Amino acid sequence: MPYEIDETHDQNLKSWVESANDPETDFPIQNLPFVRAVFTDDEEQETFIASGVVIGSKLLVLDLIAQEGFLDGFVDDEIMSTMLIDEYFSQLSRDDRAKFRSRLVSLLDKDNAELRDHELAEHTLFDVADVELLPAFDCRDYTDFYASVYHATNVGSMFRPDNPLLPNYKWIPVGYHGRASSVVPSGTTVRRPVGQLSPAEEGGAPGFGPCKLLDYELELGVVVGRGNELGQPIPIAEAEDHILGVCLLNDWSARDMQKWEYVPLGPFLAKNFATTVSPYIVTMEALAPFRCPAMTRDDDDPKPLAHLHDENDQSHGGIDITLEVFLASKQMRDQDLEPIRLSKGSFKDMYWTIAQMLTHHSSNGCNMQPGDLLGSGTISGPTREARGCLLELTWDGDPFAETPKLVPGTQRTPIELPTGEERKFLADGDEVIIRGYCERDGFRRIGLGECRGIIEPALI
Ligand code: MN
């Protein structure tokens, strides 16, 4: 069942943390995403890490308010101080999660003096700008899906113009196992990978060297809160109970390596050199007002098989999250030019829902665990503006065409930057910035923050 709208989503709620009431903030009192923060004590040369929620420009450290008894009855403070958010939440029922959110919202409400007027309040709140933010979960395993039919069709068309979608696409949420060790937090630089590059001519030998066709993929990361026992599939009606929340994800991709290596076992070194995630986990509870129906399938599309079909998931399984990608080259940053927007799309255009992806993943008995990360796959939509990677964006010869027309061999159309530079793929020094937010009449806008990364030159 999708999560429900309650008093914590009231658009009139305001916080005593003033910055949370700024209409521009991604983090009003209605959001409260989880993060981990690294504190550095310069004198002692020590660092320590704490879990918290972001409110406006501040971080509220959960461990500290738990120690003072503010979460009594909601959180075991021993557990809060030693466990990661995803592990802690794996132990909470859905009702308890809702109570926990409701308690946090109440503590931060402008009319509630409990914490606001407490002498310790200022010692539990920190400027986000003064700490290093890490994702609130320790990425345990990482799987990347391919859930946008627009992305799959565009990419398929480049290789098979007459038959872009393979026969399994509308039956099975296609995915591959990625690598957790190279999932890095926003702000980490990304080294251009070196590898075997697709031969220039069919039947020729591959090259070996720095990737020449480096790309980003705009994706949503889904974080698992509660796992399942090995051998025990997760029924689709229960799938969302297992999800903690979502973050932004950039699945950096080396296209020339990918094209050569992907047959027959799928992506490998073209993807696992880096995957960047934003630090904020926006909870499923916070997203409740922005739920929408799953994407409507064409009349001649197959219906999902019974284990991937649920009425509630069909009516509320989508999420309307607007997602944007920006690019700033080194020259642009040196000249203080604003990043330019490359694309804008919505997660509501995905062919498969989060519940379908998770249920499919566990349908063979595969055990999901707290901290597992599922990438949605590149989020592309029906318009040119909504293409979620450069492989699609610079694809056809007519930059104004809504419908891709390119066949293999046609030149790509470069994107022009305000400095006069051109890009078909990413250059060294380029910074890619992903932003996400949800808006709906009658509700407070909430945001997912940013996911950033700058490309460093290859080592050879
Ligand atoms: Mn991907």
Side-chain angles (χ1 to χ4, degrees):
M1 286 284 287
Y3 288 80
E4 282 167 19
I5 296 170
D6 60 28
E7 82 289 350
T8 66
H9 303 102
D10 181 347
Q11 65 171 335
N12 299 313
L13 285 176
K14 295 269 192 298
S15 175
W16 49 266
V17 178
E18 272 304 322
S19 55
N21 305 324
D22 177 349
E24 300 289 310
T25 184
D26 276 354
F27 310 116
I29 191 171
Q30 292 86 349
N31 193 352
L32 305 183
F34 292 114
V35 292
R36 268 186 302 167
V38 183
F39 293 82
T40 305
D41 183 332
D42 287 336
E43 281 175 20
E44 304 281 330
Q45 301 239 312
E46 276 181 345
T47 60
F48 64 97
I49 297 181
S51 296
V53 293
V54 174
I55 169 116
S57 60
K58 300 283 185 179
L59 168 80
L60 178 69
V61 174
L62 292 173
D63 182 22
L64 295 177
I65 60 167
Q67 281 176 25
E68 293 305 319
F70 286 111
L71 298 176
D72 283 358
F74 298 92
V75 169
D76 179 330
D77 54 325
E78 286 274 301
I79 290 177
M80 202 72 241
S81 64
T82 54
M83 293 178 73
L84 291 163
I85 292 287
D86 49 298
E87 291 186 4
Y88 177 69
F89 270 79
S90 73
Q91 304 185 9
L92 293 188
S93 70
R94 200 153 153 153
D95 272 359
D96 287 343
R97 285 174 53 158
K99 282 183 198 148
F100 180 72
R101 171 179 162 85
S102 172
R103 175 61 176 160
L104 284 181
V105 168
S106 151
L107 276 175
L108 290 162
D109 188 307
K110 74 171 175 19
D111 297 325
N112 185 348
E114 272 182 272
L115 181 59
R116 185 191 69 197
D117 295 349
H118 195 281
E119 57 184 1
L120 288 170
E122 61 183 292
H123 302 293
T124 60
L125 279 168
F126 299 84
D127 282 328
V128 167
D130 293 343
V131 296
E132 181 192 350
L133 294 184
L134 297 178
F137 64 107
D138 223 1
C139 183
R140 189 105 176 222
D141 256 317
Y142 166 48
T143 300
D144 196 31
F145 284 90
Y146 195 52
S148 163
V149 72
Y150 299 106
H151 173 69
T153 305
N154 286 346
V155 173
S157 300
M158 294 176 203
F159 301 102
R160 301 173 300 275
D162 300 325
N163 181 29
L165 280 187
L166 290 169
N168 61 2
Y169 188 83
K170 292 180 173 175
W171 296 98
I172 194 168
V174 170
Y176 66 93
H177 281 299
R179 188 154 179 94
S181 63
S182 50
V183 173
V184 296
S186 177
T188 309
T189 52
V190 173
R191 174 88 55 196
R192 179 179 297 271
V194 168
Q196 286 204 19
L197 311 177
S198 173
E201 287 165 27
E202 210 168 313
F208 182 80
C211 162
K212 296 189 183 103
L213 309 181
L214 187 58
D215 202 353
Y216 60 83
E217 289 189 341
L218 162 65
E219 302 196 17
L220 202 68
V222 178
V223 181
V224 172
R226 188 190 304 175
N228 58 301
E229 292 295 319
L230 183 63
Q232 301 276 328
I234 298 171
I236 188 158
E238 296 169 19
E240 288 208 9
D241 295 355
H242 292 258
I243 309 285
L244 177 55
V246 303
C247 60
L248 301 169
L249 186 150
N250 184 343
D251 177 23
W252 304 96
S253 296
R255 300 301 185 193
D256 36 9
M257 292 162 62
Q258 184 179 355
K259 188 177 173 196
W260 174 237
E261 74 174 7
Y262 89 101
V263 185
L265 290 185
F268 183 34
L269 305 182
K271 301 279 193 174
N272 69 6
F273 58 95
T275 306
T276 305
V277 290
S278 58
Y280 317 95
I281 299 183
V282 174
T283 62
M284 297 306 279
E285 287 90 339
L287 292 165
F290 311 102
R291 302 308 296 259
C292 59
M295 186 180 150
T296 309
R297 293 187 166 216
D298 287 345
D299 288 343
D300 46 2
D301 280 3
K303 291 227 174 331
L305 293 181
H307 71 293
L308 294 178
H309 187 274
D310 175 75
E311 285 302 329
N312 285 313
D313 186 48
Q314 288 299 303
S315 57
H316 294 89
I319 317 177
D320 189 4
I321 305 174
T322 302
L323 295 149
E324 298 176 316
V325 181
F326 298 81
L327 178 79
S329 67
K330 177 155 189 317
Q331 269 192 46
M332 287 169 67
R333 293 196 303 282
D334 288 347
Q335 296 177 27
D336 282 330
L337 295 170
E338 289 291 309
I340 58 158
R341 190 172 73 191
L342 297 180
S343 71
K344 179 182 182 182
S346 172
F347 190 68
K348 72 176 164 36
D349 288 328
M350 300 304 266
Y351 195 78
W352 295 101
T353 66
I354 288 174
Q356 286 172 322
M357 288 187 255
L358 184 71
T359 297
H360 173 62
H361 203 317
S362 71
S363 62
N364 63 346
C366 175
N367 51 330
M368 310 304 297
Q369 302 178 89
D372 272 354
L373 176 67
L374 310 182
S376 62
T378 306
I379 301 164
S380 292
T383 62
R384 180 180 187 88
E385 184 192 33
R387 296 183 194 170
C389 59
L390 290 172
L391 184 68
E392 292 171 76
L393 265 180
T394 62
W395 176 24
D396 60 43
D398 175 2
F400 302 107
E402 282 296 326
T403 314
K405 290 193 200 84
L406 192 81
V407 293
T410 311
Q411 281 294 314
R412 287 184 169 270
T413 307
I415 291 167
E416 279 192 35
L417 307 184
T419 48
E421 299 169 280
E422 292 188 338
R423 289 290 181 275
K424 294 176 182 169
F425 288 93
L426 297 173
D428 292 343
D430 282 357
E431 181 169 31
V432 177
I433 305 151
I434 298 177
R435 295 185 185 134
Y437 54 90
C438 302
E439 290 175 327
R440 183 181 155 196
D441 280 349
F443 291 90
R444 182 70 156 89
R445 173 193 181 278
I446 64 170
L448 280 74
E450 287 185 343
C451 177
R452 289 173 174 264
I454 295 179
I455 305 299
E456 285 189 313
L459 280 176
I460 58 171

